[in-house]
Amino acid sequence: MGPSGTVRRVGKVHDVPHASNPPAPPVRPVEAVLFDFHGTLAQVEDALAWVLAAAAACGAELDRGRATILADRLTTAGRAGGPLPHRIPPHLAEHWADRDLYAHSHRAAYTGLAASVPTDVEGLADALYERLLVPDGWVPYPDAEPTLRKLHEAGVKVAVVSNIAFDVRPLFAAWGMDGLVDAFALSYEVGRIKPDPAIFWRACGMLGVEAERALMVGDTPADAGAVKAGCAAYIVPAADAGKPNGLSAVLSLALPGQA
């Protein structure tokens, strides 16, 4: 993956200037934009809020100090949407490897990691996982809705392409953004994981566009792997929940002269 704020095309890497000097659009007109979900359009809720909400669902009220320590330990052990764990317990290795392909493996991997952290809150591991499945467990980035809306209004097709093992459509519906996304290519439904070109091809097929006319927007090397499928790729920096991540710069690429 190139540095944050780069556009990748097959055989070329172009530096993207700051917003005061908009980036040059891809050589061919963009007919579709493919967006990663986590770290690109939305971020998981703050770790402290995550633990407090999950504990409350279990009927437990934690003081802030205790919850903070627990949140740090759970994040280190391995939280969906957090940094990768340093160690995967052997009994979870198979589920970890398959976590983005099968819903049961995703749940087993992350509840198993959470259960490795000692706590006297009964049922906490499952409650923590349930937060991942509801809209309140996520925070859309500030530029997400405006960016999707402008693309939609301009007639540019949009797909969400995510390595994920649960349905994010209800989240978009709750946020009022479901009408701004034309297709969802989710790894557990497609059976392919980014950077496998097949998942990008599937997304393009859903939208009815050629890969060479699609722009993939994400925050990881797996997203940049779209260049192997023939797409252009734009990498944004993942930001904390609620903080701008520069997503609106995509409009200068997809809608030159209109953004």
Side-chain angles (χ1 to χ4, degrees), residues 20-245:
S20 58
N21 185 15
V27 176
R28 301 182 69 176
V30 172
E31 296 180 359
V33 181
L34 317 179
F35 288 95
D36 171 52
F37 173 59
H38 170 240
T40 301
L41 292 176
Q43 184 58 273
V44 288
E45 65 185 328
D46 173 77
L48 178 59
W50 172 57
V51 169
L52 288 172
C58 296
E61 183 176 348
L62 302 179
D63 65 71
R64 190 177 183 87
R66 181 184 172 197
T68 298
I69 293 172
L70 187 55
D72 287 343
R73 290 175 177 172
L74 287 163
T75 299
T76 299
R79 173 195 181 188
L84 293 176
H86 294 297
R87 176 182 177 275
I88 302 298
H91 72 283
L92 296 177
E94 186 173 351
H95 286 308
W96 179 258
D98 290 341
R99 69 191 184 283
D100 290 327
L101 288 175
Y102 306 107
H104 72 278
S105 285
H106 196 271
R107 177 181 285 272
Y110 284 109
T111 56
L113 290 170
S116 70
V117 177
T119 176
D120 58 1
V121 179
E122 186 176 353
L124 184 62
D126 284 315
L128 289 168
Y129 188 83
E130 290 299 322
R131 291 293 297 175
L132 194 66
L133 308 181
V134 298
D136 287 346
W138 294 84
V139 181
Y141 282 117
D143 287 347
E145 194 277 344
T147 299
L148 294 181
R149 185 166 299 281
K150 287 183 179 180
L151 292 172
H152 177 74
E153 292 173 349
V156 176
K157 296 179 180 180
V158 168
V160 172
V161 184
S162 178
N163 286 351
I164 204 162
F166 60 90
D167 191 2
V168 297
R169 295 175 184 86
L171 307 186
F172 282 82
W175 299 330
M177 293 162 58
D178 52 329
L180 306 179
V181 180
D182 300 291
F184 289 84
L186 309 180
S187 60
Y188 83 108
E189 294 179 338
V190 175
R192 293 290 187 274
I193 301 172
K194 295 179 292 184
D196 187 331
I199 194 169
F200 303 109
W201 289 328
R202 176 67 66 86
C204 290
M206 290 176 171
L207 298 178
V209 301
E210 297 178 6
E212 290 75 12
R213 294 187 181 273
L215 170 67
M216 176 66 203
V217 181
D219 67 306
T220 69
D223 299 311
V227 297
K228 294 183 179 179
C231 304
Y234 178 67
I235 304 303
V236 297
D240 291 339
K243 302 293 184 181
N245 65 340

Side-chain angles (χ1 to χ4, degrees), residues 1-8 12-15 218-225 227 233-237:
M1 182 181 88
S4 296
T6 62
V7 178
R8 291 192 176 218
K12 297 181 180 180
V13 177
H14 298 259
D15 291 333
D219 67 306
T220 69
D223 299 311
V227 297
Y234 178 67
I235 304 303
V236 297

